[in-house]
Amino acid sequence: ITFCLVENNGTPENSERLVALKNIFAKQLPKMPKEYIVRLVFDRRHRAVALCRGKLVIGGICYRPYPSQRFAEIAFCAIMATEQVKGYGTRLMNHLKEQAKREGLRYFLTYADNYAIGYFRKQGFSKTLGMPRAQWMGYIKDYDGAHLMECYVHPTINYLD
Ligand code: ACO
């Protein structure tokens, strides 16, 4: 199992990984319009941490960092159906937290599905936002009735310990 940072930088290897991730997100998030998933996954402002077994991508998290605001929005997070509930989702999030530290980010925000709220809670996310509103207002959409969740990323905690 390896974890790698994937950007749409035109290399064939990354393009293949992004296609694989797009397919996993589309399958695991059937309520999301496919075009929307494609647009964000290949958008150059988005990045992903992919979980791979050999050359096979088995899951990943796609996120958009806002460096000036020191936070990232998690757009999509999914693990292939046959590989769920084996701890990979947790390991993936821990790797993303380490990547966030390297990028100087302090918070994650995400709109969690009903089902995924439990998963995000276990990863340290909460519906109570500690980040000042001014830090994210205008950067991400504020949907009514959606479950916006936040996670603080501590700069000196080692999430892989
Ligand atoms: N049923 C019950 N409990 C579950 C399930 C499930 N289907 N999935 C995860 N959990 C629990 C685990 O029991 C575990 O709890 P524990 O630490 O107390 O043992 C915890 O959640 C983490 O489990 P992992 O095995 O690390 O999680 P997994 O590898 O299954 O990944 C994920 C979780 C990403 C939510 C995966 O189930 C998935 O891809 N689901 C479908 C897509 C989805 O809903 N994505 C999130 C949408 S919101 C968004 O993308 C912004």
Side-chain angles (χ1 to χ4, degrees), residues 28-29 74-79 83-90 110-113 115-116 119-120 122-123:
Q28 295 302 315
L29 304 166
I74 293 175
F76 312 115
C77 163
I79 302 285
E83 304 289 347
Q84 288 177 10
V85 208
K86 294 182 182 175
Y88 289 138
T90 300
T110 195
Y111 283 102
D113 280 6
Y115 163 76
Y119 162 75
F120 282 110
K122 283 178 180 167
Q123 311 310 318

Side-chain angles (χ1 to χ4, degrees), residues 1-56:
I1 291 288
T2 54
F3 295 85
C4 55
L5 185 66
V6 194
E7 290 174 294
N8 187 1
N9 59 1
T11 66
E13 193 179 39
N14 277 354
S15 299
E16 280 169 28
R17 286 175 176 155
L18 289 173
V19 169
L21 278 173
K22 180 265 290 173
N23 290 335
I24 293 172
F25 295 145
K27 192 148 197 187
Q28 295 302 315
L29 304 166
K31 279 184 270 172
M32 288 274 180
K34 242 191 188 128
E35 306 70 48
Y36 178 68
I37 295 176
V38 172
R39 183 155 60 79
L40 266 53
V41 168
F42 289 94
D43 179 285
R44 287 177 191 258
R45 294 165 298 190
H46 284 74
R47 296 180 189 154
V49 173
L51 168 61
C52 307
R53 184 183 292 126
K55 285 198 153 206
L56 181 71

Side-chain angles (χ1 to χ4, degrees), residues 25 29 32 36 40 46-49 60-66 71-78 89 92-97 100 105 107-113 116 119-120 123-125 140 143 147-153:
F25 295 145
L29 304 166
M32 288 274 180
Y36 178 68
L40 266 53
H46 284 74
R47 296 180 189 154
V49 173
I61 297 180
C62 170
Y63 67 102
R64 175 170 172 182
Y66 291 92
F71 81 87
E73 181 181 8
I74 293 175
F76 312 115
C77 163
L92 183 60
M93 186 61 76
N94 287 336
H95 279 267
L96 180 66
K97 287 175 181 169
L105 306 170
Y107 294 95
F108 290 126
L109 287 176
T110 195
Y111 283 102
D113 280 6
Y119 162 75
F120 282 110
Q123 311 310 318
F125 285 68
I140 70 167
Y143 302 102
H147 308 286
L148 184 60
M149 297 183 83
E150 178 194 279
C151 178
Y152 177 68
V153 182

